[in-house]
Structure formats: C-alpha cells, structure tokens
Amino acid sequence: MIKVSLISLGCAKNLVDSEIMVGHLHQAGMAVIPEAENADVVIVNTCSFIDSSKEESIGHILDVHRERGMTKRRKHQKLIVAGCMSQRFSKDLKSELHDEVDAFIGLDQVTKVAPIINEIFAKDRGKDEAPPVFIEGRSTYIPDYNTPRFRLTPKHFAYVKIAEGCNHPCTFCIIPQIRGRHRSRTVESVVAEARQLVKEGVKELNLISQDTTFFGMDTWDERPSPRTPVDSSRGTALTTLLRELNAIEGDFWIRLLYTHPAHWSDELIRTIAECPKVARYIDIPLQHISDHMLGLMQRETSSAYIRDLIRRIRAGIPGITVRTTFIVGFPGETEADVDELCAFIKEAKFERLGVFRYSQEEGTRAAKMAEQLSPKLKEARWHRVMKLQREIAAEVSGRAVGKKLRVLVEEPGVARAEGDAPDIDGRVYVPITVPVGAFAEVKITGCEDYDLLALPVGQAPATRKVAKQAQ
Ligand code: F3S
C-alpha cells in the first residue's frame, strides 16, 4: 500500500483542497500518514500569497528533499508540490527545483492526485528530464457536496468552501490570477454538505471563498459588476444560502468569512440579524480608508461608503463583532493617509483587526507602481497601527468583563466565543469540564491582551493562574 504524507500550508481554502486530496487518496486505497519519514510520497500543498509565504513553501520543499537524502529508506520517496505556488510558478520552478521535486500539480488536480502518484511511480524520469507539470491552464474546479473529503479540522468545526476564484481587480493581489474567475456552488450542494456535517456533530460551519458576498451572483442572467450589492430578487445570493443553512435543524453556528465590502447590502444585514444561527461576527477586509489609497488599490469602495456601511452593520446587527484587515505601506501612501487610517481605527473601534505590511508581488499592477516605500517606513507604519489597535483591543476585551457569553469548547480549559473565528482570533480560558466540542455558558471575569478569562456560570471569579492551570 502506498503511504502518503501531506504538509498543508496557507489559508483555509488551501486546507479544504488538502482535505479533498486526502479524501481521494483514501478512496484509492492509499494510506495517509502524519510522519514524512515513513511515507512513499510527500505532498507539500503550498501558498503563494506574499513573499514570506513563498519562502515558507520553498523552505518546506527543501527540508523534505534534504531529509529524504539522509536515510536509505527515503531514497525512493517522491515529492509532489501542489497548491497556489505550484499553480502560479510551476513553469519557473520546474527548472529551479529540477532535482528536488518529482511532480507539480495545480488546484484542479486535487481530485486526480492518486492516479498522478501511480503515474509517477510507473514512469522513471530520466536524469535530464524536468519534473512533470500536471497543470492545464487556468483553474476552473469547484468541489461538490459528494466530493470525497477527509476533514483535517477538529471534529466540532469545519470549513465549507461555497465558491472559488475572484473577479475583483485589487491591484495588490495575485490570488485571482492563481485561483481563476469566481464560480459558486449551488445552494443545494452547500446545504447537502452542511446537513451532513451537522449530522456528524459539527458545531460551527465556517463559510469560505475568495469573496463570500459574491456567492451565487455569477449565475445571474444579468451580469453583476464587482460593486453590485447582494440582492436575492436578481437571482441566487448569499442571503438565499444563509436562510437555507439557518433552517437546518440542530444547534450550531454559521460563520461568515472573507466578505468584500463592495457587495454588502441592507438585505444582507437584515438576513444576518434575522438568522439566529449566523454568528454575530463578520470578517470584512477593508484594506484602507483614505480615498487616495482605495483608488490606487482599486477596492471599488470609498471612504464615505465604508464609514456608512460600518455604521449600518452595527446598527442593524446589535452585538456584532467586526474583524477587518488593513494594508500599510502601499505604493504612494502618505503620512496623511496613515493619519486618516489611524483616526478611522480610533473612531470605528474594530473588535478584531489585522494589519499587513504591503508586499510587492510579481505579476500584480501595484508591483509596477512608482513610489514603492522602503521596508523601514512600512515597518514603522505597521508598528504605529498595531500599537493603536492593541489599546483598542484592551478596551474591547475590558468591556466584556462581567458579561455572560456562550462559548464553544476547543480543548480542555480553552473555548471560543461567537466573536472568535478559529485560528485567527482570541480565546476564552475557562476551567470547565464541559466536553470538547460542546457549547457552554460562561461569565467573563478578566482579560489578557486579546484573550478572555472566564468561569462557568455560577462560580467565583478566577485568577489567571486558575484559568491557566485548566489548560
Ligand atoms: Fe490561500 Fe495562499 Fe492560496 S492565502 S488562496 S493558499 S496564495
């Protein structure tokens, strides 16, 4: 039996691709094992978002290659590079990693990984022959509810990829060139998958895609622009899906990740407010607030639009936790732009906020712009915004003290609230014996940075020590 080990890098979308690969390997009778040293094949599922992700991916490839050279048993081990970096750069990489890699596969080959492995073993590559590239043109694949898949997340939460690809023209981003044009799954397909997951005991469905707000719009008769608001009167929309998911029986959260501000509408705000299973949490990357920057980034939004949208979201969905991201150090960014950004952050008081230093990505329009800023300046601006957000985060956490929250227990002594997405947000430390993967009610007794300390409802206040001991 062929044994395969897989290293999954990058975001949740890549993780779902890894899960599909593992599902197909199992279906083909191959064993998937955690230890690379005992595997016949190692797959590195790469990320290519920014330079540091590429470096990390290359680092893993070189490590696997070096280690397989160290033992006799691993001499015949095959190394396959998959994922976003492979999809985008395999033409260059096949000569650069001629000796290290045995094959490159792309995003559309996740379901064909088993026959590709058999093919690699069947054909011995000549010494001068470049590693084969099993990638055909632009990515168009989208999984269905019955696609074989083996979940790699803990039992109680799952990522559900509702669409793939992106039609937005953001000048800094390479992902549309990697993942192709937006294509949505059908509502029926997503609902069938969600039903199955809830039946298996999943308590949190995290809806993901490049732009979840554009869900269904690619199927409309009249082609929407990248600014069209979510509107179910024109065809299938995210609101249609949310209402259907909300109607599935069971106790679970639906979490909306990766929404684009340009498509938000009052209908979407109303739908979230009216669907109790949809978490009071939104992930809405804004990237900047100054019109100067939003224009250069081609974000299809404006400062006035964003300010009004955040106001409408907060008014329409009481208790909402808003997560956003900003980019600092984009070409041409001035001190006045950063001042405006800081003033906006102070005013909007986002509960969750991430800041990226702009990364000049080959193949993007922003990479060719004049006025690229120095790494030192980007770093200084990043520190300025992060310092400000740390103060706001402390204030936000402080406001939670004394409140009762419903949490989902992640591991013994560690839980997550409705306002905390897996992997990216904070944690609630609570000494309870509620089983992992179950909901519990807790009272917040203190906070530390981005995390909260709590007790099960009905106990005396905990100290940090008590809460830590429970971990
Ligand atoms: Fe995700 Fe990295 Fe690809 S962030 S979409 S794995 S480039």
Side-chain angles (χ1 to χ4, degrees), residues 9-11 13-14 46-49 84 175 178-179 210:
L9 305 171
C11 65
K13 287 150 271 183
N14 229 30
T46 58
C47 172
S48 179
F49 186 42
C84 288
I175 290 182
I178 299 173
R179 294 218 165 229
Q210 249 60 57

Side-chain angles (χ1 to χ4, degrees), residues 92-150:
D92 307 321
L93 291 174
K94 75 174 180 182
S95 54
E96 282 167 34
L97 296 172
H98 178 281
D99 297 332
E100 289 83 355
V101 175
D102 294 289
F104 291 94
I105 63 173
L107 303 171
D108 289 8
Q109 285 72 47
V110 288
T111 60
K112 300 173 192 133
V113 62
I116 288 174
I117 288 174
N118 287 329
E119 194 177 325
I120 300 167
F121 276 112
K123 264 195 227 154
D124 251 344
R125 173 157 69 100
K127 250 193 163 328
D128 299 326
E129 231 178 290
V133 175
F134 295 86
I135 301 169
E136 292 148 19
R138 275 203 162 206
S139 173
T140 55
Y141 173 69
I142 179 82
D144 206 348
Y145 71 97
N146 53 1
T147 304
R149 174 178 169 201
F150 181 88

